[in-house]
Amino acid sequence: MTPDNTSFAYAAYTLAAIIYLAYALSLRIRARRLRERALALEASARPRSDRAEGA
Amino acid sequence: MTSGQPSVSPPIPSQRDPLLWVALLGIAAVYVRALAFTPIEARQGAAQKIMYIHATSAFIALYVAFVLMAIASALYLWLKDEKLDRVAESSAEVGLCFTTVVLATGPIWGKTIWGAWWTWDARLTATLFLWFIIVAYLLLRGAVEERGRRARYSAVLGILASFLVPFIHLSVYLFRTLHPMPILLKPSAPSLPNEMLVTFLFSFAAFTLLFLALLRTRYRMATLRDWVADREQERA
C-alpha cells in the first residue's frame, strides 16, 4: 500500500525554496551595499568640475 | 597581491539578471511538473518526489560546485590570477547553499523511509563534514586580510575539501549504509521509469541554470568588493 506522506514532500520543497530565495536575497542585499560604497568612492574621487557637470 | 592598476569606474553589475529569472522560472516549472504531473512511487509515496530537488542539488554541489572550486584553487596556486580565486570563492559559497538544501531535505525524506531524521552513516556524515569544511573555508577568507595570503590559504583548504567528494560518492559502495545506491551515476542504465527520469533531467537543467546565475552574481560581487578594497586602500 502506498503511504500518504505528501505533506513531507511539500515541506521539503518549501524548505528548499526558502533556502535558495534567502541566499539569492542575501546576494542582492550585499551587492547593493557594495554598489553604494563603490558609487560613493567614485563620486568622491572625481574632480570638482566633473562633479558639477555630471550633477 | 592586487590585480594591478584598478579601473577608474567601478565594475558595477546590472541589477537585473535575466539568467536568474530564467532559472527561477525553470525551477517553478520543475515544482509544478514534479508535484502535480509526475507519478507517485508505489512503495515510498509522494516523499520520493523529494529526490528531484535533493539529488539534483547534491549532484550540482558535489560534482559541479566543489569540483570547480578545487580546479580554480589549483589553477590559482599555479597562475596566481585573482579571477581564479574569485571563481573558487564564489563556487564554494554557492555550493554551500546547495549542500544546505541537501542536508535540509534529506532528513525529511529519511524520516518517511527510514523512520529517523538522521543517521550517522558514512554518506550523511561525510556530507555534513564537507558542509562544515566549506563553512570554515569561508570563515578563513573573512579572517585573513592580506589578499594574496587569503587566496593561497583558502586554495589549499578548498583542494583538501574536494578530496571528500569521491569519498562521498563511493561511500555507499565502501560502507554498509542506509543511503540508497546511485540511480543515475552508475555503470548500468538509469533505474528510473521514463516519466521520472524526464522530471529528474528537467530539474537538473533548471538547478544547473540556478547555479550558474548565482555563481555569476557572486563572482561579480567579489570583483566589485575587490575594486572597493583597492580604492579604499589607495586612500588610506
Side-chain angles (χ1 to χ4, degrees), chain B residues 10-228:
Chain B
I12 294 179
S14 162
Q15 292 190 44
R16 289 193 178 83
D17 186 354
L19 186 62
L20 184 61
W21 287 108
V22 170
L24 289 175
L25 276 176
I27 286 166
V30 166
Y31 270 49
V32 171
R33 181 177 166 91
L35 293 172
F37 297 105
T38 305
I40 292 174
E41 207 265 344
R43 276 184 303 168
Q44 294 191 32
Q48 179 271 340
K49 295 183 178 198
I50 295 171
M51 180 191 74
Y52 304 119
I53 48 171
H54 174 81
T56 46
S57 297
F59 192 99
I60 292 165
L62 291 177
Y63 308 123
V64 181
F66 297 140
V67 168
L68 178 62
M69 173 191 71
I71 292 171
S73 297
L75 287 174
Y76 172 80
L77 290 177
W78 181 28
L79 302 170
K80 297 282 186 285
D81 184 344
E82 281 193 344
K83 286 178 190 164
L84 292 164
D85 176 52
R86 288 198 281 267
V87 169
E89 170 195 9
S90 308
S91 197
E93 192 182 286
V94 178
L96 182 73
C97 173
F98 276 72
T99 313
T100 305
V101 168
V102 174
L103 289 171
T105 55
I108 299 174
W109 192 4
K111 178 66 179 169
T112 64
I113 309 304
W114 305 332
W117 295 103
W118 183 264
T119 170
W120 292 102
D121 91 355
R123 177 165 274 194
L124 276 68
T125 309
T127 307
L128 184 63
F129 271 16
L130 182 58
W131 189 88
F132 277 119
I133 294 173
I134 301 300
V135 169
Y137 171 96
L138 295 171
L139 289 175
L140 174 75
R141 294 193 66 91
V144 181
E145 283 200 11
E146 205 271 300
R147 211 184 290 173
R149 192 183 301 171
R150 178 180 71 196
R152 225 170 33 249
Y153 289 173
S154 53
V156 172
L157 185 56
I159 292 167
L160 290 175
S162 72
F163 290 160
L164 267 176
V165 171
F167 177 79
I168 292 169
H169 179 74
L170 294 172
S171 58
V172 287
Y173 300 106
L174 298 172
F175 300 95
R176 185 176 291 183
T177 166
L178 279 175
H179 197 280
M181 295 280 178
I183 49 168
L184 284 175
L185 274 184
K186 56 178 189 162
S188 53
S191 36
L192 268 182
N194 268 346
E195 277 177 304
M196 292 182 180
L197 184 62
V198 168
T199 304
F200 185 88
L201 294 175
F202 181 32
S203 173
F204 180 70
F207 278 98
T208 303
L209 271 184
L210 179 68
F211 171 77
L212 292 173
L214 293 174
L215 181 75
R216 190 168 72 162
T217 305
R218 181 63 182 77
Y219 176 84
R220 287 174 172 174
M221 205 182 88
T223 308
L224 184 58
R225 179 206 57 205
D226 288 348
W227 185 92
V228 168

Side-chain angles (χ1 to χ4, degrees), chain A residues 2 5 13 20 23 30 44, chain B residues 31 42 44 49 57 93 235:
Chain A
T2 305
N5 47 27
Y13 274 72
Y20 282 123
Y23 180 63
R30 285 187 286 167
S44 60
Chain B
Y31 270 49
Q44 294 191 32
K49 295 183 178 198
S57 297
E93 192 182 286
R235 296 195 155 199

Side-chain angles (χ1 to χ4, degrees), chain A residues 1 10 16 21-23 28 37 42 49:
Chain A
M1 187 183 155
Y10 279 111
L21 288 174
Y23 180 63
R28 200 179 174 84
R37 270 171 69 190
E42 189 192 30
S49 56

